Amino acid sequence: MSPAYAAAMRWLMGGQVYDVDAGTFWAADIGIDHGRIAVLGAGAGSNAGRALDDEMIDASGLWLLPGLIDCHVHLTLPTDAGDPAAAANRSDAAITLYAAGAAARTLQAGITTVRDVGGWNYVEMAVREAVNAGSIPGPRMFLAGRLLSITTSTAEYYPGMYEVADGADAVRAAARRQLAKGADLIKVMATGAMLSSETEDSRAIQFTLEELRAAVEIAHDNHKHVAAHCHALRGIENAVEAGVDSIEHCTFADDAVLRRMAAAGVALVPTLCAGELLFRDDAAVASMPPHLLARMQEFNDVHLAVIRRAHELGVPIAMGTDAGTPGNHHGLNAEECVVLSQQAGLSPQESIRTATVNAARLLRQADHLGALDVGKHADVIGLRANPLDDITELTRVALVAKAGDVVRDDR
Ligand SMILES: [Zn+2]
């Protein structure tokens, strides 16, 4: 198991451990060595199975699941204001401090891994460095750097987030710039956005098929993946045709393109929280410009119906919230699993899969994340009650461990 001279192991003892594939809990001890699960089994941490100096953590009474993965966040975006333009001129120093706080709140909520699909002047890269060095708390971070976009007035809303590139050659160069900065994926705008300037149409096509292909070529040649922001149907079709790995939002999809996504294994990242949590935050709604509020109201139900249909047609869904949009506060991420289960037709087991195995597969981290198995990172959340009976339990974590380090214990 581990050599006698190895550092002491840490054990989570006596909890109910979730098997993501089986959808069942079983009584097991989790033995953690160097941040990974080394031993897993009923009674594995009994006197015979451990060393004298091992550290024992009592997990009895807790329902233990893999740490959750959010595949669509913007750690640098402030969530209090309803008007994105109001946040356009913040200093990089202020944004860095904000993002560090957002990272801490996200981890505290049991989100042990995030994919940031649009940062701000690469300050999120510095936040990741500090997290990885152990200087500040935060989740594992997979980063896109700036998102790639055509020339659009919305770039003035988010000047630190948009990397404007027109034409396939410019897209290749822009993708290479993100990779040089340390990006793990490339984010492309295949269509207009909802939270955009008044003159931008969310139903407009932005990057052409040729431009999308250029982004996919550079990303895949570098063993990275591509996330495509898509509302309009033809933008979704172009992105799937170009070979992207995930469709973000997917608002105006039809059955034909959803079937193509299911057949090709293209992940759908729903971001239902962007609408759901906005309308729970009166201050954000009150400060939102009328053209944005109208769009959010008009398209919320359409979006929900498409996600429900996608699930029926077997499209792999990976959890993503768009945390960072107005009212969509960092740390409320698990609400997405609740909405998926209560409003989009997923069972609690299926909803948990979106934030664990499905998300890990999209991140190309299935060997390391998304399940409580021997060899995987010991990213664990503990709940006081069974989330299969009440999915809202995911929003009330009692214990959070990342790489075996307990960063929250409310007991
Ligand atoms: Zn987003």
Side-chain angles (χ1 to χ4, degrees):
M1 182 172 57
S2 56
Y5 52 81
M9 283 177 50
R10 184 174 292 158
W11 293 85
L12 286 170
M13 296 287 293
Q16 292 291 319
V17 174
Y18 190 56
D19 180 328
V20 176
D21 285 320
T24 52
F25 285 91
W26 59 301
D29 301 331
I30 302 175
I32 300 161
D33 191 15
H34 290 89
R36 291 194 183 246
I37 299 173
V39 188
L40 186 66
S46 64
N47 288 338
R50 60 180 160 97
L52 273 177
D53 57 348
D54 282 359
E55 181 187 346
M56 314 305 286
I57 299 167
D58 178 16
S60 57
L62 289 181
W63 303 76
L64 302 176
L65 293 89
L68 303 181
I69 303 170
D70 188 332
C71 293
H72 191 127
V73 303
H74 303 278
L75 290 172
T76 53
L77 284 185
T79 56
D80 289 339
D83 184 0
N89 294 312
R90 300 166 298 154
S91 71
D92 282 1
I95 298 167
T96 309
L97 290 169
Y98 176 86
R105 291 199 298 282
T106 302
L107 178 62
Q108 283 292 302
I111 315 302
T112 51
T113 300
V114 297
R115 187 180 69 154
D116 190 301
V117 292
W120 198 283
N121 287 340
Y122 311 105
V123 306
E124 70 283 0
M125 304 274 179
V127 172
R128 174 171 64 182
E129 268 178 46
V131 167
N132 289 349
S135 309
I136 59 171
R140 300 177 193 280
M141 293 165 65
F142 294 85
L143 306 174
R146 289 175 178 245
L147 55 80
L148 275 47
S149 164
I150 64 161
T151 296
T152 168
S153 51
T154 300
E156 289 164 28
Y157 266 47
Y158 309 101
M161 182 184 291
Y162 272 58
E163 183 88 350
V164 170
D166 294 301
D169 284 343
V171 167
R172 286 188 190 91
R176 288 179 178 128
R177 281 197 294 279
Q178 307 319 302
L179 297 176
K181 290 284 188 182
D184 304 292
L185 69 143
I186 300 298
K187 164 82 174 293
V188 291
M189 301 297 283
T191 75
M194 294 281 180
L195 294 168
S196 60
S197 66
E198 194 158 6
T199 53
E200 179 167 310
D201 186 344
S202 63
R203 288 159 296 189
I205 303 306
Q206 292 200 338
F207 277 135
T208 63
L209 178 57
E210 185 195 13
E211 288 167 322
L212 293 171
R213 281 187 167 134
V216 171
E217 174 197 347
I218 297 302
H220 287 180
D221 280 355
N222 288 278
H223 310 289
K224 308 296 186 189
H225 71 276
V226 177
H229 163 105
C230 296
H231 292 303
L233 172 61
R234 194 152 61 80
I236 302 169
E237 292 169 342
N238 284 342
V240 172
E241 182 70 26
V244 307
D245 302 276
S246 66
I247 301 289
E248 313 300 303
H249 320 301
C250 204
T251 311
F252 303 115
D254 65 6
D255 278 12
V257 81
L258 291 175
R259 286 200 171 91
R260 283 176 69 191
M261 289 171 65
V266 178
L268 192 167
V269 181
T271 72
L272 293 169
C273 275
E276 179 72 21
L277 297 184
L278 167 66
F279 293 111
R280 289 188 207 171
D281 187 325
D282 294 341
V285 169
S287 58
M288 181 165 267
H291 78 276
L292 296 184
L293 194 56
R295 289 179 192 168
M296 296 303 281
Q297 285 166 332
E298 183 178 357
F299 299 129
N300 210 24
D301 291 347
V302 175
H303 190 198
L304 193 56
V306 164
I307 302 307
R308 189 182 300 116
R309 185 67 179 143
H311 175 61
E312 287 169 2
L313 293 173
V315 178
I317 294 176
M319 192 273 263
T321 57
D322 222 350
T325 59
N328 194 357
H329 305 296
H330 303 284
L332 299 183
N333 316 58
E335 294 287 349
E336 186 78 19
C337 290
V338 176
V339 178
L340 284 170
S341 183
Q342 293 184 343
Q343 300 186 44
L346 281 71
S347 68
Q349 180 191 353
E350 290 166 337
S351 179
I352 292 167
R353 286 183 68 87
T354 71
T356 54
V357 280
N358 291 5
R361 191 173 304 131
L362 172 57
L363 294 175
R364 303 181 172 192
Q365 295 292 313
D367 290 342
H368 305 289
L369 299 170
L372 298 179
D373 288 332
V374 170
K376 293 199 166 62
H377 290 302
D379 294 356
V380 185
I381 59 173
L383 311 175
R384 290 193 177 87
N386 186 339
L388 300 178
D389 297 333
D390 178 1
I391 192 68
T392 68
E393 292 296 337
L394 290 178
T395 67
R396 294 183 291 276
V397 292
L399 179 140
V400 180
K402 180 187 160 201
D405 293 328
V406 175
V407 295
R408 174 176 188 164
D409 190 348
D410 290 0
R411 297 169 300 160

